[in-house]
Amino acid sequence: MAGEDGGSRRNLDEQITVAVVITCIVAASGGLIFGYDIGISAVNGAAQNAAPVYLSEVAPPKWRGAFNSGFQLFIGLGVVIANCINYATAKQPWGWRLSLGLAAAPATIMTVGLLIIPDTPSSLLERGKIEEAEKSLRKARGEDVDVRGELAQLMKATQLANAAIEEPFVTILERQHRPHLVLAVLIPLFQQVTGINVIAFYAPVLFQSVGFGSDSALIASIILGLVNLGSTLVSSFLVDRFGRRFLFLEGGVQMFIFQIAIAGVLATTTGATGTEHMSKSNAIIVLILMCIYAAGFGWSWGPLTLLVPSEIFPLKIRPTGQSISVAVNFAFTFLLSQTFLALLCRFKFGAFFFYAGCIAIMTIFVALFVPETKGIPLDSMHVVWKQHWYWHRFVKEEEA
């Protein structure tokens, strides 16, 4: 967009209003119940499906990554709270009832929040509510900002989406959407094979197996959760400055190195059979290595797995693409959570070499096939595919 519209676009890209901050915080708080459920070992998918898309549509393009990372930040907060409650009630016979029952608290926060936040401009335009869409956009961007250029682009995208004859699940299989679909499937799949969720699920068991007592194992889980929470906060400051690819690559290299290090320490201290006793000092070393590994995940594959799929799809298939991404995430979460203990018992320290190999593969994939989306407006995202060395051959048809 050039000239007058271009200037307007740049101004609204940088504009952050109180309304959009409050709206994004409330929307991101849906991650709180999801994170709490991870800590208690339940699941909640509706928030993970809707919140990232909502945040991407409402947030200013320049700061979209930071606002979207808020959902992962609340997930981390929920995990820490759940682990603290588990620790406090571990020796009480009614502790498990309290842990499960307190899930109502974040659910209540999310429900009340839904009554406060407005619909996104894109959603309102899809239902033909143009005046309400303009008010919503003006509220998000600021009353002193000319939003006519952005509104016109959103209306154009909405018209194209409404003109689509085929169902979204058919449209998403078309050749021009192949790049989007590949990333929507592989990014959440790769996130799971980093090994982070199985460590989160089984951290108490894992730390008991390497020398911590039952109470110490729960404390170790809290420490890991705090590290993940802090690193996600770091990600929110870096993602819009250095870009998605930088964090993906740096986090991948960091996780690879420390998965190898964890495997090495376990191999030398517990032996090939994994049955030798590990000293407390070596167990602390394992904890430190896992914390550095968790930090690498927390500022890369943690928030970016939700952010990237929510911003790469065109409007007509954005909810469909996000739902596929979330479904893949949950499917592999279930699969790996059911197989991790068997993998650990069978291969001992070799399980961490397995995850390190997966991390190496996915880091190479990012370097070759994941384009940079930092600061690109959602309605202009097709440009990144058109300019990509490999994916451009698929989107030429759409551009024509």
Side-chain angles (χ1 to χ4, degrees):
M1 197 178 297
E4 182 178 326
D5 287 343
S8 173
R9 169 74 73 176
R10 285 190 294 273
N11 289 336
L12 62 89
D13 281 357
E14 300 176 5
Q15 186 81 14
I16 299 178
T17 65
V18 174
V20 80
V21 171
I22 294 175
T23 297
C24 288
I25 289 175
V26 173
S29 67
L32 187 63
I33 184 171
F34 183 67
Y36 186 90
D37 286 347
I38 289 177
I40 302 300
S41 296
V43 262
N44 178 289
Q48 191 173 4
N49 191 20
V53 172
Y54 183 94
L55 291 166
S56 290
E57 292 186 352
V58 170
K62 185 177 180 179
W63 307 110
R64 185 172 60 239
F67 282 108
N68 203 298
S69 297
F71 185 77
Q72 182 70 22
L73 189 67
F74 275 99
I75 289 178
L77 179 62
V79 169
V80 171
I81 292 173
N83 284 332
C84 290
I85 293 173
N86 286 341
Y87 176 75
T89 62
K91 296 181 179 179
Q92 303 297 331
W94 42 262
W96 66 272
R97 292 185 176 89
L98 180 64
S99 295
L100 289 176
L102 285 177
T108 301
I109 293 173
M110 186 172 68
T111 302
V112 173
L114 291 175
L115 301 177
I116 300 173
I117 62 176
D119 283 333
T120 67
S122 296
S123 175
L124 291 168
L125 287 173
E126 280 190 293
R127 288 173 284 161
K129 300 180 179 180
I130 299 176
E131 292 184 4
E132 292 183 34
E134 184 176 0
K135 290 179 182 178
S136 176
L137 189 60
R138 196 175 298 281
K139 186 176 181 181
R141 302 294 185 253
E143 293 296 334
D144 58 335
V145 174
D146 185 1
V147 299
R148 288 175 296 178
E150 184 177 11
L151 182 65
Q153 290 294 319
L154 290 175
M155 291 179 64
K156 181 179 178 181
T158 302
Q159 290 170 358
L160 291 173
N162 291 337
I165 300 175
E166 296 178 325
E167 290 294 324
F169 279 99
V170 176
T171 304
I172 203 171
L173 297 177
E174 294 176 357
R175 176 179 171 82
Q176 63 263 33
H177 299 132
R178 193 78 47 79
H180 314 68
L181 184 59
V182 169
L183 264 60
V185 171
L186 290 185
I187 286 179
L189 187 158
F190 284 146
Q191 186 207 45
Q192 294 305 310
V193 295
T194 61
I196 190 67
N197 273 353
V198 290
I199 287 178
F201 287 150
Y202 295 112
V205 176
L206 192 62
F207 281 106
Q208 286 184 56
S209 70
V210 296
F212 286 85
S214 58
D215 288 345
S216 298
L218 287 173
I219 292 175
S221 299
I222 294 173
I223 293 172
L224 279 175
L226 288 171
V227 170
N228 192 43
L229 180 63
S231 58
T232 303
L233 186 61
V234 171
S235 176
S236 67
F237 286 103
L238 299 180
V239 65
D240 291 313
R241 290 172 172 81
F242 296 98
R244 284 69 162 148
R245 281 173 52 84
F246 172 82
L247 292 180
F248 266 137
L249 295 173
E250 192 285 330
V253 171
Q254 182 173 330
M255 288 189 294
F256 174 79
I257 291 173
F258 286 94
Q259 282 280 27
I260 295 293
I262 292 168
V265 172
L266 293 177
T268 56
T269 56
T270 63
T273 61
T275 56
E276 296 181 21
H277 176 72
M278 175 181 283
S279 67
K280 195 64 171 287
S281 60
N282 286 328
I284 292 174
I285 292 174
V286 172
L287 174 60
I288 293 172
L289 293 175
M290 284 191 170
C291 286
I292 301 174
Y293 157 83
F297 174 87
W299 58 54
S300 60
W301 284 87
L304 296 182
T305 298
L306 297 173
L307 168 61
V308 174
S310 71
E311 64 182 2
I312 60 175
F313 285 96
L315 178 62
K316 59 183 177 182
I317 55 173
R318 190 174 299 148
T320 305
Q322 182 68 12
S323 66
I324 291 174
S325 180
V326 171
V328 170
N329 194 308
F330 279 142
F332 279 89
T333 298
F334 172 79
L335 178 62
L336 292 175
S337 65
Q338 299 304 310
T339 58
F340 173 68
L341 286 183
L343 183 68
L344 185 63
C345 292
R346 173 77 174 177
F347 298 105
K348 309 300 187 297
F349 60 86
F352 295 93
F353 282 126
F354 167 77
Y355 287 124
C358 293
I359 291 170
I361 293 172
M362 67 196 214
T363 302
I364 294 172
F365 174 84
V366 169
L368 295 176
F369 297 110
V370 176
E372 181 56 67
T373 56
K374 179 188 72 171
I376 306 296
L378 295 182
D379 51 52
S380 301
M381 197 61 68
H382 61 274
V383 174
V384 303
W385 305 109
K386 184 180 178 181
Q387 296 175 347
H388 192 269
W389 72 273
Y390 179 77
W391 297 125
H392 72 89
R393 69 194 69 185
F394 293 92
V395 299
K396 277 184 178 179
E397 181 179 327
E398 182 184 36
E399 291 305 306

